[in-house]
Amino acid sequence: NAGVMQNPRHLVRRRGQEARLRCSPMKGHSHVYWYRQLPEEGLKFMVYLQKENIIDESGMPKERFSAEFPKEGPSILRIQQVVRGDSAAYFCASSRGTTTDTQYFGPGTRLTVL
Amino acid sequence: QKEVEQNSGPLSVPEGAIASLNCTYSDRGSQSFFWYRQYSGKSPELIMSIYSNGDKEDGRFTAQLNKASQYVSLLIRDSQPSDSATYLCAVNIDWGKLQFGAGTQVVVTP
C-alpha cells in the first residue's frame, strides 16, 4: 500500500529560477495539503486542494507561489523566481476526507536556494 | 489568531520511564487532535488521533483530551531510545487545515 509520494526529494535552485514540487496522494485519498517547514521552525499550512479545486490557500504567500491538483496526475506546488528565504522542507499530506480525517505525510522535498 | 502551544524542551527522560507531553490550543471549535512524531530530517509520522474527551491508548502511547480546558497530552510509557524525536501536536482548525505546535524534543537517556 503505497503512501504519499513526493518528488524530487531534494531540489537545488539558484535565485530567480523556478521550483516545481510534486505530490501523489495515497490511494483512495482525494484531499491534498501542502505544508512548509522552515529551518528550526514548525510546520505551517500553505494550501488545501481537491481535484481541480483550491479549497483553502490562506497560508500561501501572495506572490510567486501557486498550487494545483489536476484531474489527472500529481498535485504540484510551484515557486517562481525563488529566493534564499524559500529554502525549506515542503511536505505534502493527504487524507480521505476532511475535518476529522487523519492526514498522512509524504517524505518531503528539501528545497535549497543558492 | 488561533494558536497551538507546546513546551519546546528538550525533555530528558530515562529509559523505561514515562514521558509526558502537553499541548494547549486556543480554538474552542476544534474537533480533531493529532500527535505526530518527527525524527530529524524526516517527515511527520502519525502516532495518535483523538476526538473525544478522555483517554485513548495505543500500545505504549496514551493521548488525553480535555476540551473544556483546551488541553491535549501524550504519555509515552516505557520510553525507549528510539522514542527520541520531536513530538508535534496538531489541531484541525478549519476544514482540514492543521495547525501545529512548535514541537517538544524528547531525549531518552540510557
Side-chain angles (χ1 to χ4, degrees), chain B residues 15-37:
Chain B
E15 186 173 353
I18 296 174
S20 178
L21 291 77
N22 303 316
C23 172
T24 59
Y25 61 94
S26 62
D27 182 14
R28 284 196 170 275
S30 297
Q31 297 295 321
S32 311
F33 307 86
F34 306 89
W35 283 99
Y36 288 86
R37 176 175 63 195

Side-chain angles (χ1 to χ4, degrees), chain A residues 9 33 35 37 41-45 48 55-56 58-59 91 98-108 110, chain B residues 31-32 34 36 38-46 49 51 88 92 94-103:
Chain A
R9 298 288 298 275
Y33 313 82
Y35 294 85
Q37 189 169 38
E41 292 191 17
L43 277 159
K44 302 294 184 187
F45 168 83
Y48 161 35
I55 306 302
D56 182 346
S58 59
F91 293 102
T98 60
T99 310
T100 59
D101 280 12
T102 299
Q103 294 180 23
Y104 295 91
F105 282 78
R110 271 105 184 133
Chain B
Q31 297 295 321
S32 311
F34 306 89
Y36 288 86
Q38 187 175 28
Y39 293 111
S40 180
K42 302 295 185 183
S43 63
E45 172 192 9
L46 180 74
S49 59
Y51 310 108
L88 305 172
N92 190 314
D94 188 22
W95 286 106
K97 180 194 301 185
L98 289 181
Q99 183 153 27
F100 284 84

Side-chain angles (χ1 to χ4, degrees), chain A residues 4-6 91-94 104-108, chain B residues 43-44:
Chain A
V4 179
M5 310 274 285
Q6 287 189 253
F91 293 102
C92 169
S94 73
Y104 295 91
F105 282 78
Chain B
S43 63

Side-chain angles (χ1 to χ4, degrees), chain A residues 4-109:
Chain A
V4 179
M5 310 274 285
Q6 287 189 253
N7 67 82
R9 298 288 298 275
H10 300 273
L11 182 61
V12 178
R13 286 289 178 263
R14 297 190 181 278
R15 281 178 296 170
Q17 292 183 319
E18 178 179 288
R20 283 191 179 227
L21 289 62
R22 295 174 184 79
C23 169
S24 296
M26 284 178 69
K27 187 176 180 181
H29 288 191
S30 58
H31 301 257
V32 166
Y33 313 82
W34 287 92
Y35 294 85
R36 177 166 68 173
Q37 189 169 38
L38 293 167
E40 306 304 323
E41 292 191 17
L43 277 159
K44 302 294 184 187
F45 168 83
M46 299 182 75
V47 62
Y48 161 35
L49 310 104
Q50 295 180 29
K51 286 283 187 182
E52 301 184 282
N53 281 302
I54 297 174
I55 306 302
D56 182 346
E57 57 181 348
S58 59
M60 288 276 272
K62 293 290 185 279
E63 298 177 352
R64 302 187 297 108
F65 285 72
S66 63
E68 63 176 2
F69 189 14
K71 186 176 181 181
E72 300 292 336
S75 174
I76 295 175
L77 179 67
R78 182 183 178 201
I79 311 172
Q80 295 178 290
Q81 299 176 332
V82 296
V83 301
R84 288 212 174 116
D86 297 332
S87 294
Y90 292 82
F91 293 102
C92 169
S94 73
S95 70
R96 191 176 300 275
T98 60
T99 310
T100 59
D101 280 12
T102 299
Q103 294 180 23
Y104 295 91
F105 282 78
T109 294

